Each structure stands twice: as structure tokens, then as C-alpha cells.
């Protein structure tokens, strides 16, 4: 009974537009003061005017927020990573830690685009760290959606970009979904890359944000 009352209270505390989307009604470009709906962060770092904070979400997930000059610049949904067991309720949208790359592409309507590397495989040195797909959002033209995937065994991934495009690992898991404001991507081209590269059939993201990331609440 107490849990039910708390769940109702938390839902009522969210902004109206957040009732149907898992970024808790927040969007990049909003004032940082709107982050009050998330409560207290469990991790907080500030460097040269850029603040990065992480907030807990239901079902072993978290939201990473970056803001500058009093405005939210990016919001990211993540979880503990490969090996973490999640049991969120079934939804029709994308779920970090659950949705495969194959399922995500089907929902998105295409493989989107990447930056600089046609494989979409990002590496540090010779170590692969995952595949990245990017999409424009029809309902939010000032935002960029980044979907990050990891194979269950990146040790077998091909990190040599000279070999040309390789098939995307369809069973790789979605490990993060991040929204960036175009102000941020313009000021920080080094974060993603400088040259967008469309994949065959690339189109803007097929779903409204509220359908792609429906709000997840505790039962």
C-alpha cells in the first residue's frame, strides 16, 4: 500500500510531458533547474563549467545528465552493462540492457547514420568499445539520438577500419540511449566526429520519442 502511494506520488511529481517518456519529461535544451524532478544524483562532477551527474532510475538503470551554462545539453539512459540482469516490464519501445540491435533497427526504420567510420565501431587504440547508430528526430529537430550497442564478446570484433564496412552484430545489446542538443554537438565536434555518413536507406527515427522510450515505473 505504501509502495503504491509512493509510485502515484512520484508519477504526479513528473512534468505532464514526462508521463509517456522515459527521460522523465526532460529534454536537452531545457533549463538545468528542471533536473529537480530527478531528486539527488548519486554521482556528480563539475569541470570548467560543465557538470555531469548521474541519477538512479527503476530496474538497475540510471540517467546521465550533462549541462553547461544552466542548460541541459545531453541526457543518457544506461545500466550496469553486459552481465547485469534486468527485469523491466515489457514495453513496445527501446529498453537498455534488453533490446537487441536487430530489434532497435526494426523500430527505428533504418540503421541511421554514423560519423567518420562506416562500421560504426568505436575503438580506443585497438580495443573495440561498441557500435553506435545516430538518428535525427522528426518531433525534435534540434536533437540527435545516439544508440550504443555492445556485443556479448567484443574480443572477436574487427577493429581494422581499412577492411571496409562489416555487418552490424544483430544480437548486440543496447547499452545506452543518449539525446544531444545541437548546441552541444556544434561546440564539441570531437565527441562524435566531423563527417556524418548515411547507411543504406537511412531515414529519420521512425517513432516519436514518447513511443520509442515509454515511461518505466515501479509496479
Amino acid at each position: 500500500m505504501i509502495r503504491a502511494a509512493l509510485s502515484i506520488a512520484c508519477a504526479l511529481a513528473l512534468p505532464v510531458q514526462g508521463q509517456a517518456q522515459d527521460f522523465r519529461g526532460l529534454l536537452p535544451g531545457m533549463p538545468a533547474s528542471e533536473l529537480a524532478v530527478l531528486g539527488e544524483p548519486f554521482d556528480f562532477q563539475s569541470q570548467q563549467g560543465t557538470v555531469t551527474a548521474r541519477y538512479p532510475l527503476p530496474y538497475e538503470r540510471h540517467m546521465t545528465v550533462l549541462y553547461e551554462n544552466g542548460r541541459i545539453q545531453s541526457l543518457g539512459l544506461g545500466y550496469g552493462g553486459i552481465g547485469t540482469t534486468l527485469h523491466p516490464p515489457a514495453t513496445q519501445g527501446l529498453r537498455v540492457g534488453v533490446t537487441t540491435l536487430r530489434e532497435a533497427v526494426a523500430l527505428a526504420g533504418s540503421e541511421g547514420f554514423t560519423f567518420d567510420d562506416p562500421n560504426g565501431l568505436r575503438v580506443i587504440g585497438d580495443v573495440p568499445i561498441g557500435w553506435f547508430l545516430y538518428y535525427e528526430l522528426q518531433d525534435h529537430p534540434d536533437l540527435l539520438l545516439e544508440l550504443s550497442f555492445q556485443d556479448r564478446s567484443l574480443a572477436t570484433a574487427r577493429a581494422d577500419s581499412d577492411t571496409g564496412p562489416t555487418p552490424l552484430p544483430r544480437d548486440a545489446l543496447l547499452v545506452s540511449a543518449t539525446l544531444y542538443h545541437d548546441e552541444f554537438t556544434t561546440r564539441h565536434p570531437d565527441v562524435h566526429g566531423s563527417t556524418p555518413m548515411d547507411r543504406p536507406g537511412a531515414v529519420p527515427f521512425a517513432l516519436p520519442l514518447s513511443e520509442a522510450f515509454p515511461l518505466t515505473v515501479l509496479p
Side-chain angles (χ1 to χ4, degrees), residues 25 34 56 111 121 136:
E34 298 288 346
E111 295 180 0
L121 174 60
E136 297 175 345

Side-chain angles (χ1 to χ4, degrees), residues 16-199:
V16 173
Q17 71 186 92
Q19 295 297 317
Q21 63 105 330
D22 215 15
F23 288 93
R24 271 32 194 180
L26 300 170
L27 292 173
M30 287 183 172
S33 58
E34 298 288 346
L35 295 172
V37 301
L38 298 177
E40 293 295 320
F42 65 84
D43 184 42
F44 183 92
Q45 300 178 33
S46 178
Q47 185 176 15
Q48 298 180 343
T50 298
V51 176
T52 304
R54 292 202 296 169
Y55 299 82
L57 292 177
Y59 303 101
E60 311 260 347
R61 301 173 308 142
H62 59 262
M63 184 185 297
T64 301
V65 181
L66 184 148
Y67 58 93
E68 298 173 332
N69 302 319
R71 281 164 57 89
I72 299 172
Q73 299 297 318
S74 74
L75 297 166
L77 301 176
Y79 78 115
I82 300 294
T84 302
T85 301
L86 302 181
H87 299 286
T91 68
Q92 297 301 311
L94 298 166
R95 296 180 293 165
V96 295
V98 176
T99 301
T100 65
L101 192 150
R102 182 189 303 274
E103 294 166 338
V105 168
L107 289 169
S110 80
E111 295 180 0
F113 62 93
T114 185
F115 287 92
D116 299 323
D117 179 4
N119 294 311
L121 174 60
R122 192 172 297 173
V123 299
I124 296 179
D126 295 326
V127 180
I129 61 172
W131 285 263
F132 292 76
L133 308 184
Y134 295 90
Y135 297 90
E136 297 175 345
L137 300 175
Q138 297 187 68
D139 50 341
H140 298 285
D142 57 343
L143 303 183
L144 173 70
L145 172 62
E146 174 191 85
L147 301 181
S148 170
F149 301 85
Q150 281 189 3
D151 202 339
R152 290 175 175 83
S153 177
L154 277 175
T156 60
R158 297 174 66 183
D160 184 359
S161 61
D162 293 335
T163 61
T166 57
L168 295 173
R170 299 294 175 168
D171 62 343
L173 287 179
L174 177 67
V175 293
S176 68
T178 306
L179 297 172
Y180 294 92
H181 197 276
D182 57 11
E183 289 180 358
F184 180 80
T185 55
T186 298
R187 286 201 306 269
H188 304 280
D190 55 308
V191 173
H192 301 107
S194 57
T195 307
M197 301 178 65
D198 283 347
R199 291 193 173 92

